[in-house]
Structure formats: structure tokens, C-alpha cells
Amino acid sequence: MFLRPYKRFKDGKEHTYYALVESERTPDGPRQRTVAYLGELNHDQERRWQRTVVFYNRQGDAQQLRLFPDDQDVALPDDPDIVRIRLKQVGWTNGRRFGDVWLAWHLWRLLHLGEIVQRHLPPQKHTCRPADMVAIEVINRLCAPCSEFALAEHWYASTGLEDLLGVADADVTKDRLYRTLDGLRAAQRAIEDDLQKQLQTLFDLDYDLLLYDLTSTYFEGLAEANDLAARGYSRDHRRDCKQVVLALVVTREGFPLAHFTLAGNTQDLATVERVVTEVEGRFGRVQRVWVMDRGMISAATAPAAEGTRHPTAAPPRTPGGLTQVAGTGGQGRLEKSGQDPGVCGTPGRALSQGPPVRHGRSGP
């Protein structure tokens, strides 16, 4: 087998094309058969093809290799690195996901999240670093969210994370994941503070406007060991189940700043003073706008928000189903704009200075 060049002139320029040719014996004598047309090849491609069709045996003699022998009885070359493969009998097993988990792992390292977690969750006597366990949890939430049990039993083994992180599949158990989450919860505040500094540096974030909202998640069962589990207003329409309330504060770009886990029977109004006060104490008191649901603002909570000397924007419901934006004025009361709603910039000033808000009806 060898490469045969063909030279042609086209548009006044010489072009060289290559074909892969194989010599074979026939009843009529030796003949040459074209195996494949390779087109134009550059110097490196030509050399690679030359190395493909020529091999050296143990004695160092160069011989031609038949890539596609028609005769099944052709003897194999005297070389341990060359074998014959039956393509019809070739299969694959244990296929694993790689692209999405590799990208998530790359972002984890790019943002130095592992260093932050390891700073507050040191390895100590753990056989596996808690930072690696947290990375596995975060990557799972990003790529294919599931329970810790499903993660340990099925998901982790179906990905390429074992090769990327160097953590054996047998070491990823639901009990270890649960213990890691317990440690993560104890270090929640310190980790959030470091994340705020890290993300502010990387993405040049500002915190002059914060968005605050609540949600809830319920438990199947009695949840007797959970002190925060209680029955309350269920956003999942499961009033028969105990639940906890989750509060989240994010920037205008959607980066999380802080989160809180509250008792399941906590009313929305009762969360404002605690959340605003704690965020101000942790991240400083600056001229800031708080954006939250209308149900969190009342005559009782407005003074708490006003005590931070920051305006508060909320979209109250109107009888017609439209939403408007309101802000707390200088006297701790709500001021509604009926003509040009927007986000309040300064207490007591007109709301028209803020960005426009698009309205939509909540019903048909």
C-alpha cells in the first residue's frame, strides 16, 4: 500500500492530489486498486499518511500494511502492536457524561470556589476533602439536580468526575454528603462573606440595588427532628405538610448575596426587619434600594426599612390586576406613582427618575 500523487493544472496553478493505492494479486497478474481518494494534502498530512501505510517489524524491516484486507486468512504482521479487529463485534460500555461536568468543574476552579470552601471546611481527619464533596454537590445542582441518595447511588458513577476530581465512586456516599452539608451550614455566613468579596472583585458588582424574595419547601413526613419545620402558607399548595421558609437576597445581576432558612410558619412581613438589618450589618450601610414583594411592606414594616435610611421598591397589586412600583418616603410611608412608575432613587423624591417598568395583567 502506498500513496500515489496526481498532478493537475487548474486556473494556471498546479495541484497535487493523493490516492491510497494497494497492490494485489489477481488471476491476470498483479493489479493496483485505489482504496481511497485523499484529495490535497499538506506536508504534515502526507507524512502522517506515509507512517500509516508503512510499519516496521521486529527486525526493523519496512513493510506495507494492508489496512482493508479482503482475505480473512491473511497472516498478521510480525508486530505486537498490530492486531486485527472485527468491527461488528466492537461495542462500548460504561459510557459517562463528561462535557457538562467538565465545564462546571472548570468554572468552579476559575472562580476559586474550592479555596473558599477549604478555608472554612478544612480536611482535618476526613479521608475526602470536604471541598471536593461540595464541588460534587454544586456540579450536580448545575448539571442534573437530584437528591443526595440518587447522586451517590447513580449520578456520580455516570459522569467523568471520578477522573477529574480523583475521588473514587466508593467514597461518595449519601452519609458523607449529608455530613458535608452539615459542616457547610455551620460555615454559611463566613462562606457567603468571602463569596461576596470574591464575586465583587471578579465581576465588578455593585450593591446599590438588592432584590429580596421568599419561597418555601415542604417535607413528606412528620419532620419531628427539624425545629424549623412547621405548617404555614405553602407556595406549593401543600398545607398538609410541614415546611421551611427560604429567604434569598440577590444583586441586580442575579448574583446571590445571602440566604436565610426560617421557620415554616414565618409570615412575610416578619422577615423584612431581620433580613435588612443583618445584611446591612454584614455588608455595610450604603445608599441602597431594596426591591421586594408588596406583601412584605406594611405600616408596621415600613419604619424598619426606613430605619436603614434606604428607599424600598415594591410592586403592589391593584384591583385591575396591574402592578405599580412603590417606595418608602422620608416619613416611612409608601408613595405610589400612578403615571410614571419606576424604582425610587431618593426618599421623598418622584419615582419617575428610575428605569421604566413594564406592566402586565395577572389574569386573562
Side-chain angles (χ1 to χ4, degrees), residues 17-262:
Y17 301 89
Y18 290 87
L20 190 62
V21 180
E22 182 180 46
S23 297
E24 57 183 9
R25 295 180 182 275
T26 67
D28 299 328
R31 294 292 186 270
Q32 293 178 348
R33 179 172 65 94
T34 301
V35 178
Y37 293 98
L38 305 179
E40 290 188 283
L41 302 176
N42 58 35
H43 180 68
D44 292 336
Q45 291 173 333
E46 181 183 356
R47 290 188 60 187
R48 285 197 293 268
W49 274 105
Q50 292 288 0
R51 289 195 298 267
T52 301
V53 301
V54 177
F55 74 95
Y56 295 87
N57 60 16
R58 294 180 180 179
Q59 290 73 33
D61 300 327
Q63 299 180 10
Q64 289 188 359
L65 175 65
R66 299 188 65 188
L67 296 180
F68 309 100
D70 298 326
D71 188 357
Q72 297 296 330
D73 297 329
V74 175
L76 291 177
D78 184 18
D79 193 310
D81 296 328
I82 298 177
V83 296
R84 180 175 294 162
I85 299 176
R86 296 183 183 274
L87 295 179
K88 294 182 179 179
Q89 299 179 2
V90 173
W92 58 275
T93 58
N94 193 27
R96 296 185 292 173
R97 301 172 52 164
F98 183 78
D100 54 350
V101 297
W102 178 87
L103 177 59
W105 173 236
H106 178 71
L107 293 175
W108 174 269
R109 293 183 298 170
L110 186 66
L111 298 176
H112 305 287
L113 300 181
E115 299 175 7
I116 294 177
V117 174
Q118 186 169 347
R119 189 179 307 139
H120 302 288
L121 293 179
Q124 296 178 350
K125 297 182 180 180
H126 296 282
T127 55
C128 294
R129 296 194 317 159
D132 290 337
M133 293 294 106
V134 175
I136 293 172
E137 292 264 16
V138 172
I139 294 173
N140 169 259
R141 296 299 186 272
L142 180 63
C143 299
C146 63
S147 66
E148 278 69 23
F149 180 80
L151 188 159
E153 292 293 322
H154 308 290
W155 183 81
Y156 184 75
S158 68
T159 70
L161 286 177
E162 183 174 356
D163 297 324
L164 293 174
L165 277 69
V167 179
D169 178 43
D171 294 331
V172 181
T173 63
K174 62 179 180 63
D175 292 335
R176 175 168 282 142
L177 293 173
Y178 287 140
R179 288 195 298 268
T180 302
L181 291 178
D182 290 340
L184 198 64
R185 180 175 178 272
Q188 170 194 337
R189 179 165 179 170
I191 292 177
E192 286 181 347
D193 292 347
D194 282 1
L195 280 176
Q196 183 266 335
K197 298 175 183 177
Q198 179 76 359
L199 297 179
Q200 183 179 17
T201 301
L202 291 176
F203 300 102
D204 192 23
L205 301 179
D206 59 67
Y207 301 95
D208 58 345
L209 185 146
L210 295 179
L211 293 89
Y212 170 54
D213 202 2
L214 299 171
T215 188
S216 60
T217 182
Y218 65 90
F219 302 98
E220 296 282 1
L222 299 178
E224 295 178 346
N226 192 334
D227 296 336
L228 297 179
R231 290 183 175 86
Y233 171 69
S234 175
R235 294 162 177 83
D236 301 302
H237 307 290
R238 290 298 304 269
R239 292 181 297 177
D240 58 317
C241 297
K242 292 184 179 181
Q243 65 176 16
V244 292
V245 174
L246 304 176
L248 180 64
V249 180
V250 301
T251 67
R252 69 173 73 206
E253 297 85 1
F255 286 89
L257 182 63
H259 79 280
F260 307 85
T261 304
L262 309 173

Side-chain angles (χ1 to χ4, degrees), residues 273-333:
E273 182 175 3
R274 172 185 171 181
V275 171
V276 171
T277 302
E278 184 164 340
V279 170
E280 295 290 340
R282 290 169 55 182
F283 303 108
R285 299 166 63 93
V286 296
Q287 184 66 25
R288 179 177 294 129
V289 175
W290 284 84
V291 179
M292 60 189 69
D293 188 75
R294 174 63 182 88
M296 302 181 192
I297 300 297
S298 69
T301 59
E306 176 61 20
T308 64
R309 303 184 61 82
H310 300 315
T312 304
R317 297 180 180 271
T318 63
L322 295 176
T323 59
Q324 293 178 318
V325 173
T328 53
Q331 291 76 30
R333 57 185 176 82

